[in-house]
Amino acid sequence: EAQVTQNPRYLITVTGKKLTVTCSQNMNHEYMSWYRQDPGLGLRQIYYSMNVEVTDKGDVPEGYKVSRKEKRNFPLILESPSPNQTSLYFCASSPPPGVNQPQHFGDGTRLSIL
Amino acid sequence: DAKTTQPPSMDCAEGRAANLPCNHSTISGNEYVYWYRQIHSQGPQYIIHGLKNNETNEMASLIITEDRKSSTLILPHATLRDTAVYYCIALVYNQGGKLIFGQGTELSVKP
């Protein structure tokens, strides 16, 4: 089954404790992206990757890092999490954007930073 | 990206067609219209997309006006499981593949 898998699904942690949210897709997609969703603000793009070793900032990249060492994985790293990063996070993947195919989303990761 | 405007909420009776409108009056010639939905806080689910012609798939139909300034998503026989927030997005895939989700339409399907 084609899917985007995020882990963990839920996490409560404390300010400053580094954490990584993993994202893996099994569709051999070149493009991957991270979004965060907050009440009243909708979904906003954090980072995206056009292919292995190619990443770029989205609209709200501050406080986040990403890496794309393999095609299937696109982890989101919070080096020093803060309470304003409490949010619902989604990973998405698709063929290259120019191919005009839809993005597939994971089920989400709910982070609470205390 | 073109701005899209949708009604904040709509109701539909179970078994009836749900017609969700979207205005995108500033859409340009190469901007596709995409529809996604989000059930509770699950990941957004792709429904359908189109450029000029009307489109149909197993989930829905998409009707795009000739001037491409508006479109309508049609769920032909709405069920309770179709209760969700529906997003209409007009997008050119040359800005990092970013999807700009507006506030969407909260569709409530009632028995």
Side-chain angles (χ1 to χ4, degrees), chain A residues 2-4 25-29 93 104:
Chain A
Q3 58 185 4
V4 178
Q25 49 94 4
N26 62 0
M27 295 166 279
N28 201 36
H29 285 162
S93 76
H104 298 258

Side-chain angles (χ1 to χ4, degrees), chain A residues 33-93:
Chain A
S33 179
W34 277 102
Y35 295 83
R36 62 178 286 176
Q37 185 173 26
D38 302 288
L41 297 176
L43 282 100
R44 295 175 292 168
Q45 190 183 55
I46 304 170
Y47 268 95
Y48 64 95
S49 170
M50 292 291 192
N51 213 323
V52 175
E53 302 292 1
V54 182
T55 63
D56 210 343
K57 297 177 180 178
D59 293 324
V60 288
E62 295 77 22
Y64 304 95
K65 286 175 56 177
V66 293
S67 69
R68 188 89 183 275
K69 293 184 171 56
E70 306 164 281
K71 200 171 187 179
R72 63 182 294 125
N73 296 323
F74 189 45
L76 179 70
I77 303 156
L78 285 72
E79 294 268 5
S80 183
S82 63
N84 64 10
Q85 293 177 298
T86 292
S87 188
L88 179 58
Y89 292 85
F90 292 103
C91 179
S93 76

